Structure formats: C-alpha cells, structure tokens
Amino acid sequence: MPSTPVPEFRSRVIALELDGDGAHPASWRKAHHDPQALLGGQRIRETVQAADIAGFHAATFKDSRVVDPGSTGIAGRIDAIQRAAFAAPITRSIGLVPEAGTLFTEPFHVATQLASLDYSSLGRAGWLVTADNLAKEARSVGRTQLPEGEAVSEAADVVQASRRLWDSWEDDAVIRDVATGRYLDRDKLHYADFDGGRFSVKGPSIIPRPLQGQLVVFAPAELIPAVEADVALISADTTDDLPQAAQAAASAGAPRTLVELDVILDSRGQTAEDRLAELDSYEEWTGGARYVGSAEGLVELLTTLFAAADGVRLKPAVLDVDLPELANKVLPELHRSGLVVPPLPGATLRETFGLPRPANRFAAA
C-alpha cells in the first residue's frame, strides 16, 4: 500500500459501469439507439458524455475476449483501454477506468497503454484490475489456465511490475536541453528490474511517468491485500451485507472502498419491478446486491451505504432508461445533501478520490 499517509476523505464517489446497453443481459431490447452504433464510437460518446455532464466521478469499462454467457449477452467488445482512450478527449472531469486483465496479457504493454491513457485524459485514468482465470480467455491468446491458487499472486506481480515501470522515469527526466542536444537526463531513467513468479520485466518504460505519478488502481476486494490497490470494489449478495463487507475491506488495508450495486429504477410510468420482470422474461439477470425501486429510495440507500464506504459503483440495468433517472433525480439530491461533491474539471482522478500523488520510488532511493 502507498507509504504516503492517506488524507481524510469527505466527499463520496459515484462511479458508473458503461458496458454495452446496460448491465441486464436483455438491456439491448430496451435501448433507444441503432444497434450498429455499438460498432462505432457513437454509443460510447453518448453514454460517457451524459455521465460526465451529470457529474459522475468515474466511468468503468468492462473487458472480455470471449462471448458473454447466455443468449442475449454482448457478442464482442472493443478493448476497454481503447474505449477509455476514445472517451478521454470528449470528456472534461469524469475518471476513465478500463478493466485490464493480469493473467493473459503482457505486463509491459498494459502498463504503457495505461500510462498513455493518463496523458490523453490529462490525469483522469485508472485501472480496474481483473484476475479471471478462465479457460476460454487463456485459449483466446494461445495460453492455458494458471494452476489453482496462482491467479492472485500473478495479479499482484503484474500490478507491482506496472507500478515500478510507471516510476522508471523520474518526473523531471525529460529536459529538452537544446544547447547540448539532450532530450532526456539518462540518470533519471531507471530499470524496473522486476522478477515475478512467472515473468520478469527489465524496463525502463517507453512512456514518461504518468501525470498522476501512479494511476488509481481498482481491484475486487478478494484480491486485496495481495494486490497493491488504491480502491477496493466490494460485492455482496444483498444490500444489507455491503456495509460489513466494506468495513472488512478497509480493515484489510484498502485506502478507498466502493460498493457494487445493480440498479433498476421506476421510469416513465413503469415501476422498476415491472421493468425487471419484463427484462427477466427474456433472460434472467443474475448478480449481487441490487436496488429495485424509486429514485428517492435509492438516495436513502446510498446515504446509508456512504456511512460505511467511500462510494459506490452503480451498474444500471438499461443505460438509456436508468442513466437519465440517475442524472436527473439521484445525483442532484446527493449534491444538495453535501454527501457528494461533483468532480472538478481539471482535477486528476487521484484528487477526486482524495489520494496523494506518490513519490517516485527510484528518486526517493
């Protein structure tokens, strides 16, 4: 965990998952756009800009190389880091947090892609670490599943190697000295020199140190404390179980905690229960803690959850229906209460989360 003391954090964070047409596997049936929009940038532009204008603090982008299970799931996705990079220049304040797997990717490439995202977003990038040890994922890149029990340690190694690569350039390594013709001060570039259980990285990186120094690293709570993460994502079977799970993650050393919540709201004269029943008639929505009801009830629930966690990641059932309800009825009430403060244009994602910019480990040494 970061050696710099973590400051007190007062505002609560509202993150939003932006995947396809929504979290429900039948969400596409209630989408208001041309299905072909998913193949280009139009869909990403519409959803991420709406979330940015509404005042969400971060958007996450799911990633997977394989087809979703079920008959109505998403058949394929553009790489999550690429989607976040597309969103970077068309948004002002929202953090951009793509999923990037740790088991079947090259750590050096993941680290440099994420560093580039931090530059293109002007310091609003994060990384949602995943460690899904799936046979289909492995076969898609000509690999095999890791032996049982090794996925967490592999994820921890990849994150640690990435952090060392981000620090392999000191902040003032680029000098652009015209008089001597030197672009870099080579004494301020360092080898990462990481040796993990299954790979090694020499370095240095090919990208200067990210604007934030270190990106904000998100990880499921079950990967912490092995994985050095800044934000723990907490899942539970019911909303009643979330506060205790969040407190456990904080006790395990997570500087920040976000609880995961599926959401389907009353909308346009149709109750949330009726909406869910109709969508489930096509394919059942399985998952964890879920809120089904009015916007007012969601505000009350979030107020309760914020007493135990630093924020929430919402997964709307249908983006075209639930995102406007969240933007027009839920966020304004949370802003009025003072529990949630909208992100400031120009602020980094670390600043949004109240996290200090870490010192460079090599410069300090």
Side-chain angles (χ1 to χ4, degrees):
M1 292 301 161
S3 58
T4 307
V6 177
E8 185 179 359
F9 186 56
R10 296 187 180 279
S11 174
R12 294 302 183 251
V13 169
I14 307 287
L16 184 72
E17 169 60 34
L18 297 181
D19 185 45
D21 290 314
H24 197 290
S27 59
W28 63 274
R29 295 177 179 272
K30 296 298 180 179
H32 302 156
H33 67 88
D34 182 344
Q36 294 299 315
L38 283 174
L39 301 178
Q42 178 184 342
R43 187 57 173 163
I44 302 169
R45 181 188 299 273
E46 290 173 349
T47 54
V48 77
Q49 286 186 330
D52 188 39
I53 293 168
F56 285 93
H57 297 90
T60 60
F61 301 86
K62 184 176 175 58
D63 200 23
S64 177
R65 295 185 181 89
V66 298
V67 176
D68 284 355
S71 60
T72 61
I74 296 174
R77 293 176 176 86
I78 299 172
D79 178 88
I81 297 178
Q82 293 180 12
R83 280 181 281 156
F86 175 84
I90 60 174
T91 52
R92 296 192 312 157
S93 57
I94 192 167
L96 304 172
V97 187
E99 285 188 10
T102 53
L103 305 188
F104 310 115
T105 54
E106 292 292 340
F108 187 91
H109 297 321
V110 171
T112 53
Q113 285 180 317
L114 290 166
S116 296
L117 176 62
D118 203 44
Y119 277 99
S120 63
S121 64
L122 300 179
R124 291 182 284 122
W127 175 15
L128 204 171
V129 172
T130 60
D132 299 327
N133 193 18
L134 305 177
K136 288 183 178 180
E137 287 272 359
R139 285 198 298 269
S140 71
V141 292
R143 301 276 295 278
T144 57
Q145 279 180 291
L146 272 63
E148 186 175 355
E150 292 190 15
V152 174
S153 61
E154 178 78 354
D157 282 351
V158 171
V159 172
Q160 189 55 237
S162 298
R163 288 189 179 278
R164 292 182 70 87
L165 283 165
W166 292 335
D167 276 352
S168 64
W169 291 52
E170 294 184 32
D171 289 320
D172 54 353
V174 178
I175 56 174
R176 300 184 180 91
D177 190 336
V178 176
T180 62
R182 292 186 306 153
Y183 181 73
L184 298 172
D185 181 347
R186 66 180 183 179
D187 292 333
K188 295 187 176 183
L189 264 63
H190 305 274
Y191 289 112
D193 281 336
F194 181 84
D195 288 308
R198 302 170 65 89
F199 68 91
S200 62
V201 175
K202 189 69 174 174
S205 177
I206 57 173
I207 302 292
R209 194 175 192 230
L211 293 178
Q212 298 181 93
Q214 297 270 324
L215 275 69
V216 181
V217 177
F218 298 68
E222 56 267 24
L223 297 182
I224 297 171
V227 170
E228 184 185 342
D230 302 295
V231 183
L233 296 175
I234 294 97
S235 300
D237 292 330
T238 69
T239 56
D240 291 338
D241 297 329
L242 285 173
Q244 184 176 356
Q247 291 166 356
S251 298
R256 299 285 180 257
T257 55
L258 292 185
V259 294
E260 306 262 44
L261 187 64
D262 294 341
V263 172
I264 185 165
L265 297 172
D266 299 341
S267 178
R268 301 175 185 176
Q270 190 176 18
T271 67
E273 289 83 358
D274 288 344
R275 290 183 57 214
L276 180 59
E278 182 181 0
L279 290 166
D280 278 351
S281 69
Y282 301 110
E283 185 168 339
E284 186 178 359
W285 190 15
T286 59
R290 179 176 303 159
Y291 175 80
V292 182
S294 67
E296 295 77 13
L298 179 58
V299 171
E300 293 179 7
L301 173 60
L302 292 178
T303 302
T304 301
L305 293 175
F306 289 160
D310 295 309
V312 63
R313 180 167 74 134
L314 301 176
K315 300 178 180 179
V318 181
L319 285 171
D320 283 337
V321 179
D322 294 296
L323 179 51
E325 296 293 326
L326 292 168
N328 296 327
K329 297 180 180 179
V330 176
L331 260 65
E333 284 301 315
L334 292 173
H335 292 162
R336 275 192 284 271
S337 73
L339 275 174
V340 175
V341 177
L344 295 174
T348 68
L349 189 57
R350 295 192 74 88
E351 291 169 339
T352 295
F353 273 85
L355 294 167
R357 189 178 190 275
N360 186 303
R361 72 193 67 205
F362 297 109

